[in-house]
Structure formats: C-alpha cells, structure tokens
C-alpha cells in the first residue's frame, strides 16, 4: 500500500507573504471610491482573515456588496505592489519539499485569486496545491484544510501553520498540530489564546519538527 503524503498546510496572507499593506490599501480604496470615510489601518487590521463580505459589513453594511466588487477589481490590479514573501519563506518551503513533505496552502482568499497571487510572487513551484475558500465555511471551520488535503488525494495533514487564531482553530478542528507565527496579523498575546502547539516569531522552528522522511 502506498503510504499517505505527509502534508504541511500553510495559510497565505500574513503567514507566507507580507501582504497586509496591499490588502488594507485596497480595502480602504473601496470607501474612498464611494465617497465614504475609510477606516484606519488599525481599525481594519483586526478583521484581516475574515471573509471580505463580513469585513465590509462591519463598517458599512448598506454598501457591503458594492464595496466587495470595488475591492476585488482594485486588488486584482494592485495585489503585488508591496506584497513579498517573508524572509526565508521560499527557502523553507524548498527545504521541506526536499525532505519529502507535500505542501498545501489553505487561504480565505478565493482560489483563483490565491493562485494568481502565489504565481505572481514566484512561489508556485515551491508548493503542491493552493486551495481558497469558495462558497463554503471559512476558517475557523476546517473545510478549506479538508479540501486542500482531499485534492492531494492520499494525504495526511501534519501541521497547520498560520498567523491568526482562526488558522489555529481550523487546524485543530482538522486534527493537525498547529504552529502560530507572530509576524503576521495577530500578535503573540492574542495567538496564545488559541493555544497553538508552537508560538514563534518566525517559521524557523518548523524545520526542527520535520526531519527528512525516510525514502521508500
């Protein structure tokens, strides 16, 4: 019998990629384009990682649908202005694959946008699968993780790596160990409330948990 693929699941924004400035700028652009007062960076930041519709509904429920449309049009044209992989991320992904692990991305972004984003940053060769959230429950529900693992076929999820409490809760609900990184959207104090298995300022310690797999 073929052994299952040993798979690490990563969130995208705030975990692998420092993309928050572009996300926040596009979010605020929606308000200014409609002549509405835009929330500040500090007001928007706690909502990053929630579905876009819910984010806009919090600030301007009467305009949420239109704001989502404006955001998606603007973000699709501007999503790589300042977004870059965090230091050492691409090298870490390559190392994990060299050690025999399969790598999946599970994000709240829509799948088509997530794949465009990963491709534009030159990261697609470093991962095996990119799964977005398309019309099914978002994190902290584990659905996006289950779909990523299911798309890989015979895959066993080992770790969920993320930067928000939603990522950690989703990983635990999917039965994975959880690794919280503090360089993204949620700080260490907030992440600690989700009791991740690891709480670190970067992804370096992940390699200590994932030695090379025996060759078959």
């Amino acid at each position: 019998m073929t052994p299952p693929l040993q798979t690490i699941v990563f969130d995208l924004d705030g975990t692998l990629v420092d993309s928050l400035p572009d996300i926040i700028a596009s979010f605020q652009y929606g308000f200014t384009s409609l002549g509405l007062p835009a929330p500040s960076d500090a007001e928007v930041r706690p909502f990053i990682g929630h579905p876009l519709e819910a984010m806009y509904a919090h600030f301007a429920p009467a305009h949420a649908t239109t704001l989502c449309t404006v955001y998606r049009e603007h973000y699709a044209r501007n999503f790589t202005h300042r977004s870059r992989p965090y230091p050492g991320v691409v090298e870490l992904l390559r190392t994990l694959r060299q050690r025999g692990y399969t790598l999946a991305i599970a994000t709240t972004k829509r799948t088509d946008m997530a794949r465009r984003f990963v491709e534009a940053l030159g990261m697609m060769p470093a991962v095996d699968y990119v799964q977005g959230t398309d019309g099914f429950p978002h994190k902290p529900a584990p659905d996006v993780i289950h779909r990523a693992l299911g798309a890989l076929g015979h895959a066993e999820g080992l770790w969920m790596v993320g930067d928000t409490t939603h990522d950690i809760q989703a990983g635990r609900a999917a039965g994975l160990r959880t690794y919280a990184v503090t360089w993204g959207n949620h700080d260490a104090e907030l992440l600690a409330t989700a009791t991740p298995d690891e709480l670190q300022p970067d992804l370096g310690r992940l390699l200590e948990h994932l030695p090379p797999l025996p060759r078959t």
Side-chain angles (χ1 to χ4, degrees):
M1 178 182 294
T2 303
L5 300 173
Q6 302 296 291
T7 305
I8 318 304
V9 183
F10 293 88
D11 174 57
L12 181 57
D13 298 296
T15 299
L16 298 178
V17 180
D18 183 5
S19 54
L20 298 184
D22 286 332
I23 292 173
I24 292 174
S26 286
F27 187 81
Q28 293 167 328
Y29 175 83
F31 292 91
T32 57
S33 70
L34 297 183
L36 301 171
S40 67
D41 290 15
E43 289 172 319
V44 175
R45 193 178 178 99
F47 294 93
I48 300 295
H50 291 265
L52 185 63
E53 292 82 358
M55 292 174 64
Y56 276 125
H58 174 80
F59 293 101
H63 302 279
T65 300
T66 302
L67 286 166
C68 287
T69 299
V70 174
Y71 171 93
R72 290 185 173 116
E73 292 173 350
H74 185 268
Y75 185 71
R77 298 191 303 268
N78 299 279
F79 64 100
T80 59
H81 276 191
R82 288 179 283 177
S83 297
R84 298 292 183 273
Y86 284 105
V89 158
V90 174
E91 293 79 7
L92 176 137
L93 296 176
R94 289 173 178 162
T95 298
L96 288 173
R97 292 188 81 191
Q98 290 167 358
R99 292 183 180 186
Y101 296 94
T102 303
L103 309 181
I105 289 173
T107 174
T108 304
K109 270 183 165 66
R110 292 181 175 182
T111 300
D112 58 346
M113 187 69 243
R115 291 177 179 169
R116 282 184 59 197
F117 187 53
V118 173
E119 183 70 42
L121 294 178
M123 296 172 60
M124 194 64 83
V127 299
D128 296 281
Y129 190 74
V130 178
Q131 177 65 59
T133 304
D134 307 311
F136 53 84
H138 58 85
K139 303 169 192 170
D143 299 51
V144 67
I145 299 172
H146 289 316
R147 292 193 182 221
L149 295 174
L152 288 167
H154 196 47
E156 177 187 356
L158 301 178
W159 286 82
M160 175 65 199
V161 183
D163 71 302
T164 72
T165 57
H166 306 298
D167 297 320
I168 303 310
Q169 292 161 356
R172 182 177 299 108
L176 280 60
R177 298 188 71 189
T178 56
Y179 187 111
V181 62
T182 62
W183 61 21
N185 193 45
H186 287 177
D187 61 24
E189 183 177 2
L190 180 55
L191 285 165
T193 66
T195 61
D197 295 292
E198 284 283 357
L199 178 58
Q200 299 292 336
D202 55 40
L203 296 178
R205 184 165 168 77
L206 188 62
L207 293 176
E208 298 179 26
H209 291 285
L210 297 165
L213 294 172
R215 296 185 180 274
T216 56

